[in-house]
Amino acid sequence: MSSALRAKAFRRAFTSRAVDGFVGAVGNTPLIRLKKLSELTGCNIVGKAEFQNPGGSVKDRAALGVIRDAEERGLLKAGGTVVEGTAGNTGIGLAHVCRARGYRCVIFMPDSQSQEKIDLLRMLGAEVYPVPAVAYENPKNYNHQAREFAALLPNAIWTDQFDNTANARAHYETTGPEIWEQTGGNVDGFICATGTGGTLAGAGKLLLEKSDGKTQIWLADPPGSVLYSYITSGGQLTERSGSSITEGIGQGRITNNLGTIVKQLSGALQIPDTKSMAMIYDLLDTEGLYLGASSALNVVAAVELAQQLGPGKTIATILCDGAYRYQSRLFSKTWLQAKELEGAIPEHLKKYAVLD
């Protein structure tokens, strides 16, 4: 990456005028070059700073996209209700957009999610229903409960973030073009984890089109998800192994959003929690970035992809959100010990685990 492009990657793309409320502030996030890891690999490792969206995560884009789609199709009218099943960040984005647009927001979520997320949703005025974390095939899965709740109400929508391809379209129209412009059209690889698949599918599709198929699109996966086995076996296997401390990523199926790009993926990498945890602390120490586990997993995957593709390449990934929503776990000595992850953190970085 030239010095001019490198400077551009750091520069926030502010408009010359004030934006229109919360929704106008979604997107146009910086692209951050990760200096230490770029030097280590001989590549340019860049992360899209989605934690700088006004609601604090990449899911602001999907939340706005699915609500706009429902409005444009006449499915949601003034004073209506927005219902979703979400592990957290999509719900937070929806709650913000609902406040800005005057809708009631109802969220069903697995009771395994961090208390910080639940508390924030309620502070934003959302009605939150934590339910047991069960597989998608179970009729009590939080997604099915959200769908059934919305069906009982007038002027209500279930936003269906996993299979509503307005999610991927939001990233095709915003995230992908931003990455392409911020790198000057020089992206050799794009990799990130998926929950709904919207970010990978939407941004990946745009980058494939702009590069005439030259940009490789890869999926990063945590343990306990079937996507790694599915992709690396050419769609033959859906094996789960282990579990992960990451929230909101990994899947037991191919969602409609992911289905729009799954056959065009170049490959997949599985990243263990030990590497993600170490990267959380390393990014804080070397880059001053306070990021959550899914962001750290994406960065580990970007480094491994850079090592596979070789020096001189530009690898882009997604910095999904900050660590603020998970700090009571990720920086707690007690929690790290309970999860047998304390040993994953290098000794000189353990000083950041300041919570008991």
Side-chain angles (χ1 to χ4, degrees):
M1 185 183 287
S2 69
S3 59
L5 286 177
R6 187 173 300 160
K8 193 172 188 179
F10 279 94
R11 188 169 63 247
R12 185 68 182 267
F14 288 114
T15 60
S16 58
R17 297 180 181 178
V19 298
D20 185 16
F22 177 93
V23 299
V26 175
N28 287 318
T29 56
L31 190 68
I32 300 176
R33 181 176 184 267
L34 302 177
K35 184 175 184 292
K36 174 190 171 183
L37 298 174
S38 295
E39 293 174 350
L40 178 69
T41 59
C43 291
N44 287 294
I45 309 293
V46 293
K48 197 84 167 88
E50 292 300 283
F51 57 88
Q52 289 201 10
N53 278 304
S57 87
V58 65
K59 294 298 187 177
D60 288 0
R61 297 184 190 254
L64 180 56
V66 295
I67 286 180
R68 275 182 169 162
D69 177 72
E71 292 171 338
E72 291 167 359
R73 293 195 289 144
L75 302 177
L76 183 64
K77 299 177 176 63
T81 301
V82 173
V83 186
E84 183 55 284
T86 168
N89 278 335
T90 300
I92 291 166
L94 287 169
H96 276 288
V97 177
C98 285
R99 294 279 64 73
R101 275 169 141 64
Y103 301 125
R104 175 190 178 196
C105 183
V106 179
I107 302 298
F108 286 79
M109 69 190 305
D111 58 9
S112 58
Q113 300 306 294
S114 67
Q115 189 62 42
E116 288 96 334
K117 284 184 179 178
I118 296 172
D119 291 343
L120 178 54
L121 282 165
R122 288 175 172 155
M123 290 173 194
L124 290 169
E127 298 172 36
V128 184
Y129 297 95
V131 298
V134 296
Y136 184 81
E137 294 76 17
N138 189 313
K140 292 300 183 181
N141 177 273
Y142 63 100
N143 290 291
H144 304 320
Q145 293 200 49
R147 182 188 65 246
E148 292 166 2
F149 186 91
L152 297 174
L153 300 175
N155 190 19
I157 62 164
W158 170 49
T159 50
D160 189 14
Q161 61 165 326
F162 292 91
D163 294 314
N164 181 351
T165 55
N167 174 349
R169 186 165 65 250
H171 291 284
Y172 176 83
E173 294 174 350
T174 66
T175 316
E178 289 171 28
I179 293 172
W180 184 256
E181 193 273 338
Q182 287 169 316
T183 59
N186 177 30
V187 189
D188 298 290
F190 175 65
I191 187 167
C192 68
T194 71
T196 66
T199 306
L200 183 70
K205 182 180 178 182
L206 185 285
L207 293 172
L208 279 171
E209 290 179 1
K210 287 289 188 180
S211 69
D212 294 324
K214 295 177 183 176
T215 300
Q216 292 192 24
I217 311 299
W218 286 63
L219 182 144
D221 215 27
S225 171
V226 305
L227 300 180
Y228 172 77
S229 66
Y230 181 90
I231 292 165
T232 56
S233 69
Q236 299 302 307
L237 301 175
T238 53
E239 295 179 346
R240 292 180 183 270
S241 60
S243 60
S244 176
I245 55 93
T246 55
E247 297 183 19
I249 57 174
Q251 258 297 343
R253 65 188 181 95
I254 303 299
T255 65
N256 285 354
N257 281 291
L258 183 58
T260 63
I261 199 172
V262 68
K263 292 182 179 179
Q264 296 171 282
L265 295 177
S266 296
L269 298 175
Q270 189 174 64
I271 308 300
D273 284 350
T274 50
K275 289 186 177 181
S276 298
M277 184 59 63
M279 185 60 76
I280 290 170
Y281 281 70
D282 186 73
L283 287 168
L284 177 58
D285 188 64
T286 62
E287 302 285 351
L289 293 172
Y290 189 59
L291 301 174
S294 58
S295 299
L297 182 150
N298 284 347
V299 173
V300 173
V303 170
E304 294 191 4
L305 181 56
Q307 291 167 337
Q308 286 198 32
L309 297 186
K313 301 296 193 295
T314 295
I315 312 298
T317 192
I318 302 294
L319 307 181
C320 313
D321 63 5
Y324 303 97
R325 293 170 183 171
Y326 321 94
Q327 62 188 18
S328 64
R329 298 181 180 187
L330 299 180
F331 294 89
S332 161
K333 291 187 285 288
T334 301
W335 184 86
L336 290 168
Q337 290 166 1
K339 295 295 182 180
E340 299 182 349
L341 288 170
E342 189 178 32
I345 302 169
E347 199 63 38
H348 72 286
L349 299 180
K350 289 182 179 178
K351 61 185 178 183
Y352 295 113
V354 297
L355 303 178
D356 291 328

